[in-house]
Amino acid sequence: MSIRYLRENLETRVERERNEFFAGLVNLDRRSFLKVASASMTAALGAGAVGLGSFQPMKIVLGEDADGKEQSLKIAYISDSHLYQKHINDRFANALLRAVEDVNAMEEEPDFIFYGGDLAQLGQPEELELGAEILSGLKYRDRLKIMVGEHDWYYDMGEKWQSLFGSPRWTFDLKGVRFVCLMSVNEEDFWTPAGLTPMERMKTVAGLDNQAQRPFFVGDEQIAWLEKTLADWKDDQPVVVFSHSPLYKLYKNWNFWTDDAEKVQAVLKRFQKCTVIHGHTHQVLTNKIENIHFHGLLSTAWPWPYAPKGMPEWTVQMNRSDPFNSADGCGWGDIRVSTEGLVDKVYALWNRKPMFVSAAYLNEEEGAVPPARPNLPSF
Amino acid sequence: MKYSSFILAGIVIFSTVLAGSAQWRNMVPRRGNVQQTAVRTVENVQEKAAAVKQDVKSVAASVTKTAETKNKVKAAEETETEFPGTNDQWKDSLSVDWIAKEAESHKVPPHFNNRSVLRGDQHDGHAYGRYTEADLRLWESETVRLVMEGSRIFHDAELLGSTNGVSCDMCHPDGANTHPETYPKYQVQLGRAALLRDMMNWCLQNPCRAEPMSGDDPRMRAMEAYLNATSSGKPMKYGKH
Ligand SMILES: [Fe+2]
Ligand SMILES: [Fe+2]
C-alpha cells in the first residue's frame, strides 16, 4: 500500500508497533501467526481480559448446515471513514488502513466486501480519491460493493463519487440472496433559496446536529424502482437491502431518519426474510419492524452517542466510548447470511469484545443468545 | 388631590437631590418609575457594550495567540481580520443577526423563564421587587448570546484552532455525551479531579489536535456556557461516571 503512517502520533505509533511486532515474528508467517493469535485471543476474551492492544483477530462460526459444512454467505464490511485530505488529517486515513488490513487478514474469504458510505468527510475529490486508493489495498478489491453517504455527495452532488464508483443504486443476486442498494440520503433543496456555495451546502449537511438541512428521503421514483427490482422475487426468498440512513425513523434532529421510511418498508413487508443494513449511525444499532430486521454499521473514524430518544428496544447498546483512546467505539465487522437467508451480524469493535447480534435473537427463537450486554451503560 | 401632587413634587425634588448618589439610586424601588428604569437600562446597555468591546479585544487576543503558536501570524495590521467572523459580529454589539443564524442551525434548550420575579409588590423595598420586563429581556439576550457564541465555536474547527479539521460536534452532536452536570469528577487518565474545562481541553488537544485554552479564554467561557445550556434540566451529580 502506498500511503502508510503519514505522521507519527499516538495512533500511528500503535500502528507502527503492531507492524514491527509482526515483522519481528521470524519463525511464523503472518497467516499462521493469526491462527495462533486467534486461538489465544479467544481464550483471553473468554476469560474477560480487556486491553488487548490494537489488534484483535476473531472468528465466529455460524450457519452450519446439516452436515456441519458451512453454506452461508459472508460479507465483510467497512463504513464511515470520513476521510479528510491526507495533509489535514492522517488519523482517519490510518483508521481505514487498519480496517483494510483487518479485512485482508480474515481467515475466511468473504463473498464480498461492503463499504457503507461516508468515505469522505467534505465530499472533496481528493478525499474520495484517497479513499479509493486505500480501498484498493483490499485483497479482494474486485469484490468491493460500495454505497454512498451524505458526506460523499453534497459537495458536487455525487459527481466525483459516481465517476469513481458508478451508480449509487445497484442490485445483484448471490447464492440465492437478492442484494439491493438504495441511495437514501436525498434532501430537499434548501441550498438554492439560501444561496449557499457548494462548500456551505456540504458543511451544512456534514453537521449531524445542523437544523438548517432537511430530512433524508429515498423518493417515489426510487421506491418504484425498488418495487420493480423485487417484482420477480418470491415472498420466501431472502432479501438484503443496503441504505446509508436507517430505513426507519429514529431521531430526526440528527437525521438518524428516513422521511419516507414507511413507504420503503411497505415494499419490503411481504418478504419473510428481509434485512436492512445501514451506515450513518456509527454504533451498534439493532431494530426490528414487523418482519424486517435492521442492523447498523460501525465507523472507522468515531462513534456517535446514542440518540437521546427514540432508541429501538431491540438494541443492546455498546459501551460508552473512551475519549482517551481514539480507536474505541470504532471498528468494522461482518455480516453472515445463513442458509435460511437470515442475517447474523458481528460488530468487530477494535478496542473491545466483538458484539454479535443473531437473527435468532431478533426472531425471539427459543434458546437464542441475546447480544452480550457490556458491563457499563452507554450513559 | 392637591395634597398628593404636593407629596409627589416633594418626592421628585427629594430624589433629584439624592440622584448624585449611585448607591441611593440603586436602592430606590423602580416600580412605577419608568424614566429611571429607562435610564438604568440605557446605562446597562452601555456598560454591556463596553464589556462586549472588552470581550472583542480578548477574543482577538486569544485568537492571535493561537495563530502565533501555529506560526501563522500575518502582518500586524491583518490580525484583526485574520479570522473573519470571530470579531465581526461583536463589533456592533447590538446586532443580533448572527445569533438568529446560529440558532437556526443549532438548537439549544430555552433560557429559563424568570417572569416570577416580576411579582414585585410583595417584595417592596427588596432588591427582587425592582425587576422589570426590560431586565428580563436583558438577562436573556446576554445569556443566550454567550451560549450561541459557544455553539458557534463548538461547531467550528477553525475557531477551535483544530489542526486536523475536527470539531467538537462531530462526536458530541447537540453537546451530547459531555455531561457537564457530572463535574467535578476524578479522571484517572488525567490523574486528578477534573473540571469540565479540563476535559474540554483534553478533547481539544487530542481529538482536535488544537492548543489547550486557558480557563478564562473567551472561547472556553462561551463553550462552557453552551455545554451547560445543553444539559439544562439534568440534575447536578458531581463525581458521577
Ligand atoms: Fe458517517
Ligand atoms: Fe452519514
Side-chain angles (χ1 to χ4, degrees):
Chain A
M1 241 166 295
S2 52
I3 314 141
R4 191 162 280 269
Y5 317 125
L6 310 158
R7 184 157 32 113
E8 178 96 344
N9 59 49
L10 213 68
E11 304 97 58
T12 49
R13 201 191 65 227
V14 173
E15 296 278 348
R16 184 176 52 73
E17 284 171 358
R18 176 166 146 253
N19 266 22
E20 284 169 5
F21 176 61
F22 279 124
L25 293 168
V26 248
N27 297 322
L28 225 50
D29 69 83
R30 190 177 158 133
R31 254 190 91 80
S32 40
F33 168 74
L34 284 176
K35 284 203 184 117
V36 175
S38 176
S40 54
M41 285 292 185
T42 314
L45 285 172
V50 280
L52 292 172
S54 58
F55 191 50
Q56 187 179 300
M58 49 160 227
K59 178 175 155 70
I60 291 168
V61 181
L62 312 156
E64 289 172 50
D65 71 3
D67 314 322
K69 249 182 80 191
E70 279 179 54
Q71 285 293 303
S72 54
L73 189 154
K74 186 167 188 162
I75 308 156
Y77 80 77
I78 306 176
S79 192
D80 290 270
S81 302
H82 292 266
L83 301 179
Y84 287 89
Q85 295 174 48
K86 51 183 162 179
H87 67 274
I88 299 175
N89 186 320
D90 59 316
R91 175 183 295 155
F92 296 166
N94 280 318
L96 178 56
L97 275 166
R98 176 176 179 179
V100 165
E101 277 189 28
D102 285 357
V103 169
N104 287 347
M106 280 170 77
E107 287 192 21
E108 275 173 85
E109 181 178 311
D111 289 277
F112 67 91
I113 299 154
F114 175 68
Y115 190 88
D118 287 350
L119 182 59
Q121 167 66 8
L122 295 171
Q124 301 300 295
E126 298 85 350
E127 296 171 353
L128 290 164
E129 277 161 11
L130 176 64
E133 194 180 340
I134 297 178
L135 288 174
S136 74
L138 282 166
K139 191 155 89 189
Y140 302 105
R141 68 180 80 71
D142 50 327
R143 298 184 202 168
L144 174 68
K145 306 282 176 189
I146 180 161
M147 175 162 74
V148 79
E150 79 280 13
H151 287 257
D152 304 320
W153 192 263
Y154 281 92
Y155 178 67
D156 59 7
M157 303 309 285
E159 210 180 296
K160 181 69 188 179
W161 191 90
Q162 291 178 89
S163 80
L164 286 170
F165 305 113
S167 168
R169 85 166 77 140
W170 40 260
T171 177
F172 67 96
D173 297 350
L174 188 65
K175 294 190 181 173
V177 183
R178 177 151 297 177
F179 293 94
V180 187
C181 180
L182 296 175
M183 156 59 184
S184 71
V185 292
N186 302 292
E187 292 192 15
E188 244 171 52
D189 182 353
F190 62 86
W191 48 91
T192 313
L196 301 187
T197 64
M199 196 53 160
E200 284 168 341
R201 170 179 62 207
M202 181 67 246
K203 286 196 164 171
T204 305
V205 175
L208 196 73
D209 59 2
N210 195 320
Q211 304 303 311
Q213 61 177 314
R214 314 283 310 140
F216 293 146
F217 68 91
V218 173
D220 290 346
E221 185 268 332
Q222 198 173 191
I223 292 171
W225 173 81
L226 176 67
E227 207 164 0
K228 221 179 87 204
T229 303
L230 294 172
D232 64 341
W233 211 243
K234 295 198 201 73
D235 294 1
D236 61 349
Q237 288 179 294
V239 179
V240 174
V241 177
F242 297 112
S243 69
H244 184 69
S245 58
L247 284 180
Y248 58 95
K249 294 179 168 171
L250 201 171
Y251 188 58
K252 197 172 185 174
N253 284 25
W254 297 351
N255 248 337
F256 286 9
W257 186 274
T258 304
D259 223 35
D260 48 4
E262 292 89 348
K263 285 192 195 171
V264 186
Q265 289 167 18
V267 175
L268 301 177
K269 227 163 46 192
R270 72 177 171 94
F271 296 100
Q272 287 145 27
K273 301 155 197 164
C274 180
T275 310
V276 174
I277 306 284
H278 65 84
H280 190 62
T281 51
H282 302 201
Q283 58 196 205
V284 175
L285 188 60
T286 314
N287 198 6
K288 182 178 157 183
I289 296 172
E290 300 197 28
N291 53 319
I292 310 171
H293 296 188
F294 298 85
H295 296 281
L297 301 174
L298 294 175
S299 158
T300 58
W302 72 81
W304 288 121
Y306 281 106
K309 54 181 186 220
M311 281 301 297
E313 52 188 75
W314 292 101
T315 299
V316 172
Q317 300 188 2
M318 65 188 198
N319 228 333
R320 58 195 282 219
S321 30
D322 176 359
F324 297 89
N325 181 333
S326 74
D328 197 30
C330 302
W332 56 288
D334 68 52
I335 300 160
R336 175 78 62 116
V337 191
S338 70
T339 34
E340 307 97 81
L342 292 167
V343 164
D344 295 309
K345 177 78 202 304
V346 179
Y347 293 89
L349 290 149
W350 271 324
N351 202 37
R352 296 175 186 269
K353 295 184 195 182
M355 277 180 81
F356 171 52
V357 186
S358 69
Y361 157 72
L362 279 173
N363 285 341
E364 298 176 276
E365 281 168 23
E366 215 178 303
V369 185
R373 254 164 226 287
N375 52 1
L376 284 171
S378 72
F379 212 96
Chain B
M1 217 29 220
K2 263 184 192 163
Y3 265 140
S4 54
S5 23
F6 226 86
I7 291 164
L8 245 173
I11 289 172
V12 168
I13 292 162
F14 186 60
S15 21
T16 316
V17 168
L18 286 161
S21 148
Q23 213 188 349
W24 168 255
R25 211 164 57 215
N26 282 339
M27 281 165 64
V28 171
R30 278 200 278 127
R31 238 165 70 77
N33 195 339
V34 178
Q35 219 181 340
Q36 221 160 29
T37 306
V39 168
R40 260 207 55 89
T41 310
V42 168
E43 276 172 2
N44 239 333
V45 170
Q46 282 167 347
E47 260 169 42
K48 294 291 167 188
V52 166
K53 266 184 208 142
Q54 199 51 47
D55 268 0
V56 174
K57 278 191 200 135
S58 30
V59 170
S62 74
V63 165
T64 310
K65 210 174 128 222
T66 315
E68 265 168 12
T69 58
K70 286 197 290 174
N71 281 328
K72 265 194 170 171
V73 182
K74 295 175 187 159
E77 67 271 18
E78 276 180 40
T79 17
E80 279 237 272
T81 51
E82 188 181 357
F83 288 84
T86 311
N87 304 340
D88 289 358
Q89 87 241 6
W90 296 94
K91 278 187 179 139
D92 176 5
S93 64
L94 297 176
S95 155
V96 289
D97 279 4
W98 71 269
I99 299 174
K101 201 158 162 274
E102 182 59 34
E104 217 173 80
S105 299
H106 303 119
K107 296 274 175 283
V108 176
H111 183 274
F112 188 79
N113 184 340
N114 285 305
R115 293 201 65 80
S116 61
V117 306
L118 290 180
R119 281 179 274 124
D121 43 350
Q122 70 251 46
H123 300 294
D124 258 350
H126 279 266
Y128 289 123
R130 297 188 286 112
Y131 295 127
T132 67
E133 300 261 3
D135 287 291
L136 265 53
R137 277 199 298 276
L138 185 68
W139 299 346
E140 179 158 350
S141 66
E142 286 304 304
T143 309
V144 167
R145 176 163 62 180
L146 185 63
V147 167
M148 293 323 287
E149 173 66 347
S151 167
R152 210 172 64 89
I153 295 163
F154 192 82
H155 289 88
D156 190 324
E158 214 168 302
L159 296 179
L160 289 165
S162 167
T163 59
N164 60 2
V166 175
S167 54
C168 314
D169 60 300
M170 281 167 56
C171 301
H172 302 290
D174 291 324
N177 270 7
T178 54
H179 310 115
E181 74 282 4
T182 64
Y183 283 83
K185 71 178 169 206
Y186 190 84
Q187 288 287 11
V188 183
Q189 293 90 336
L190 300 180
R192 59 173 162 157
L195 297 178
L196 183 64
R197 72 184 68 144
D198 299 325
M199 268 316 285
M200 289 165 76
N201 265 335
W202 169 270
C203 276
L204 265 169
Q205 287 176 274
N206 292 278
C208 303
R209 292 209 185 123
E211 292 289 325
M213 294 177 188
S214 90
D216 51 5
D217 185 313
R219 293 172 301 164
M220 179 59 97
R221 288 168 47 83
M223 281 203 288
E224 197 177 311
Y226 171 67
L227 291 186
N228 281 320
T230 56
S231 75
S232 177
K234 293 196 188 138
M236 299 282 287
K237 284 191 179 145
Y238 87 87
K240 181 175 189 299
H241 279 267

